[in-house]
Amino acid sequence: MTDTTRMTWTWLVLTAITVGSWWLAPAQYSGTLRASVPITALVLMLTLIKSRLIIRQFMEVRTAPRWLKLATDGWLMVLFGAVFAIYLV
């Protein structure tokens, strides 16, 4: 797969995730905002996927040493785990 093709597919996936996250918002259906733990968890998971794609594809970590790939994945897990824990408190 060429770099151009990879970047195009990554961009399409990022766009689809963004539209999907917007579609999950309950305010667009009811007109009122209300907290929903399952929807928040799903949107955070989609954000985690988007962040990993951006780091791997657009920041060239996919060609980096294994330790850097593991470090960025670990950092993302800790970050999003902390964000979700703070949300639940």
Side-chain angles (χ1 to χ4, degrees), residues 30-71:
S30 64
T32 59
L33 292 174
R34 53 182 158 45
S36 170
V37 174
I39 290 175
T40 300
L42 183 58
V43 170
L44 278 175
M45 183 60 67
L46 291 172
T47 305
L48 174 68
I49 293 167
K50 282 178 67 172
S51 300
R52 188 170 189 268
L53 282 172
I54 290 168
I55 289 171
R56 287 284 172 113
Q57 299 300 323
F58 295 110
M59 297 175 74
E60 298 294 330
V61 173
R62 70 179 161 76
T63 59
R66 182 175 169 86
W67 68 266
L68 185 57
K69 292 177 186 179
L70 293 172

